[in-house]
Amino acid sequence: VQLQASGGGLVQAGGSLRLSCAASGNIVSINLMAWYRQAPGKQRELVARITNLGSTNYSDSVKGRFTISMDNVKNTGYLQMNSLEPEDTAVYYCEAWVSVPPTGVAHDYWGQGTLVTVSS
């Protein structure tokens, strides 16, 4: 299984970006998908997560501005980021717990990261 993150870029403060995380390979189901970010000189932090039942959690810093979603048919997750602030500048990583054949046991996978830069 591979995760491919995309959608990062340079945006002005107040702007929007949508990140995508596409899972490929032998997949039974994606049980959970999460987005993390790591700013220069800081630890990686959880931004948002979503389960295959649609339950979501957000960090306080992005609540009300970011929306996480998942398309179970396309095996792709999304992070819609609105009202971006310079403090949102970071490399964003997606993570997914994916059930794989033949047993359906879930394994943890990470994407390669996509850079989001928000200018003031």
Side-chain angles (χ1 to χ4, degrees):
V1 174
Q2 290 187 326
L3 299 184
Q4 180 69 42
S6 61
L10 174 64
V11 64
Q12 288 189 330
S16 298
L17 282 174
R18 189 176 82 154
L19 305 184
S20 298
C21 180
S24 61
N26 289 325
I27 297 170
V28 174
S29 64
I30 298 177
N31 303 328
L32 181 146
M33 185 169 283
W35 288 93
Y36 290 77
R37 67 186 181 187
Q38 187 166 19
K42 294 189 176 181
Q43 289 188 331
R44 189 174 297 189
E45 63 171 349
L46 175 66
V47 175
R49 79 174 100 204
I50 184 169
T51 71
N52 57 353
L53 298 179
S55 177
T56 58
N57 296 97
Y58 297 91
S59 70
D60 288 342
S61 61
V62 307
K63 203 172 293 184
R65 300 187 297 122
F66 291 10
T67 302
I68 190 170
S69 60
M70 188 162 61
D71 185 327
N72 293 313
V73 174
K74 295 182 178 179
N75 289 329
T76 300
Y78 304 96
L79 185 68
Q80 177 66 43
M81 305 185 296
N82 299 328
S83 302
L84 283 161
E85 304 168 352
E87 293 73 23
D88 296 316
T89 295
V91 177
Y92 284 71
Y93 300 89
C94 60
E95 179 204 24
W97 281 87
V98 181
S99 293
V100 298
T103 63
V105 172
H107 298 270
D108 187 25
Y109 298 91
W110 286 82
Q112 83 286 5
T114 184
L115 176 62
V116 172
T117 303
V118 184
S119 63
S120 57

